[in-house]
Amino acid sequence: MSATISALAAYVPERVVTNDDLARTIDTSDEWIRSHTGIRERRIAAPDQAASDLAIETARLVLAQRDLPADEVDLVVVASSSPDYANFPSVASIVQDRIGASRAGAFDLSAGCTGFVYALEVGRSFVEAGSVNRVLVIGSEVLTRITNWNDRNTCVLFGDGAGAALVERDAGHAVLHSWLQSKGSGDAALIRPAGGTRTPFDPQVHTLADMQIQMDGRRVYLFAVDALVQSVRTLCEREGISPEDVSWIVPHQANLRIIEAAAKRLGLPLDRFFTNLDRFANTSAASIPIAIDDMQQQGLLEEGQLILTVGFGAGLSYGGNLIRW
Ligand code: ACO
């Protein structure tokens, strides 16, 4: 018996914002953003859309693919770094209620941009342990609402979106195994410093920027290249295969330069790595399911192929999943 992905879908908000649109209000240019990141445009959520709204759209798409009523879902797991509320209630509980998953448990998982990789392993483990039959695994982000739009070093990097997978027994693409890692010594490299119990928001001391994304770009870049290389090597070693045997590496869509550097170090052609960050930018925990959905739509995935996902991000966290499509 193995845990499988029986359906996978994504939802992105309608509004497209190009680099040129940003350059009208921010001291940046399409040329700088494209040459330093590979990003051309991103989606930005409507003012009334929070992480749960995007998650609900993608959850409904996934259930429709399987023609499955929501009350057949046993567990809803949402990975998000930009939840509706600070810590509680969880995005997952809101999704569970709004889609009518009346028998399901629900919780959120916080692992930065590695969130979907972690959540998929949670889904795999619950199903293989036999404690539940179906887990709805979702990555959903409205990062543009926790972005500092006065910080050109970060604000050009992010976009909004959601993706979901339904994990159940022997009904699709096998999740073979995962590798989950953390380097918490890098906690300050990617952080929202104020608003938690370490540094509660104090209006006398803090500004809004203290509650928004702050990043040491160089440090994150070096970490991310290492994380991507190590994750590919480790997952392949564990499966007894070489990276050349993998049909597609689906990395977290942070920055094309990270992916190019990792491809070079691994000695793999760049076209082995799927990218769509040019259209969606960095959607954190949603980027991997959005990428896989895009690959499905483009007809790039064939039965039996080995697909290797890799996430890396705040924590610092990293890791990947090996999937037999
Ligand atoms: N537009 C124009 N100029 C800019 C912009 C911008 N949007 N942002 C920075 N610059 C300027 C800087 O001010 C600097 O100018 P200066 O030399 O006059 O001081 C110059 O560009 C170069 O700045 P660097 O920080 O050295 O730029 P770098 O080439 O390192 O690229 C980047 C920055 C893209 C963030 C890089 O460090 C990187 O790829 N980091 C990885 C982090 C990442 O992708 N994070 C995504 C979120 S985290 C995650 O998902 C894992």
Side-chain angles (χ1 to χ4, degrees), residues 28-253:
T28 190
S29 65
D30 175 53
E31 198 284 319
W32 192 96
I33 301 171
R34 268 195 294 115
S35 60
H36 286 73
T37 70
I39 296 164
R40 290 168 186 271
E41 59 189 41
R42 71 283 296 137
R43 301 298 180 102
I44 294 195
D48 62 347
Q49 282 181 314
S52 68
D53 299 300
L54 274 49
I56 288 163
E57 295 285 351
T58 185
R60 288 190 175 134
L61 289 171
V62 156
L63 293 175
Q65 273 182 25
R66 284 286 283 157
D67 202 13
L68 196 76
D71 62 5
E72 300 229 0
V73 172
D74 301 300
L75 185 63
V76 179
V77 183
V78 177
S80 183
S81 296
S82 47
D84 294 34
Y85 302 102
N87 308 110
F88 60 87
S90 70
V91 178
S93 286
I94 298 167
V95 174
Q96 169 272 315
D97 175 70
R98 305 303 188 268
I99 65 170
S102 52
R103 293 188 313 105
F107 66 92
D108 284 2
L109 183 158
S110 169
C113 303
T114 323
F116 189 80
V117 164
Y118 271 71
L120 190 57
E121 174 59 11
V122 167
R124 188 196 69 79
S125 303
F126 270 77
V127 166
E128 292 208 352
S131 54
V132 301
N133 291 322
R134 290 190 187 89
V135 184
L136 195 49
V137 172
I138 304 175
S140 185
E141 303 283 9
V142 184
L143 291 167
T144 62
R145 212 158 286 149
I146 58 166
T147 298
N148 179 352
W149 287 99
N150 295 314
D151 176 13
R152 70 176 181 172
N153 292 293
T154 54
C155 72
V156 301
L157 303 175
F158 300 106
D160 302 331
L166 188 66
V167 179
E168 54 186 320
R169 232 168 262 137
D170 298 325
H173 318 295
V175 184
L176 301 175
H177 55 252
S178 306
W179 190 56
L180 307 181
Q181 294 291 292
S182 171
K183 266 198 174 61
S185 57
D187 53 355
L190 197 46
I191 192 167
R192 292 176 73 193
T197 52
R198 170 78 51 206
T199 314
F201 185 76
D202 177 349
Q204 311 287 337
V205 179
H206 298 121
T207 64
L208 190 56
D210 295 312
M211 295 183 68
Q212 294 167 328
I213 299 173
Q214 296 184 8
M215 181 182 71
D216 177 343
R218 189 76 204 145
R219 194 165 165 202
V220 171
Y221 174 86
L222 294 171
F223 153 75
V225 176
D226 263 352
L228 186 37
V229 170
Q230 266 192 55
S231 301
V232 171
R233 286 199 177 130
T234 306
L235 280 160
C236 288
E237 268 166 36
R238 290 189 169 189
E239 187 65 11
I241 58 171
S242 104
E244 283 79 26
D245 300 327
V246 174
S247 298
W248 287 105
I249 296 169
V250 186
H252 165 48
Q253 305 285 309

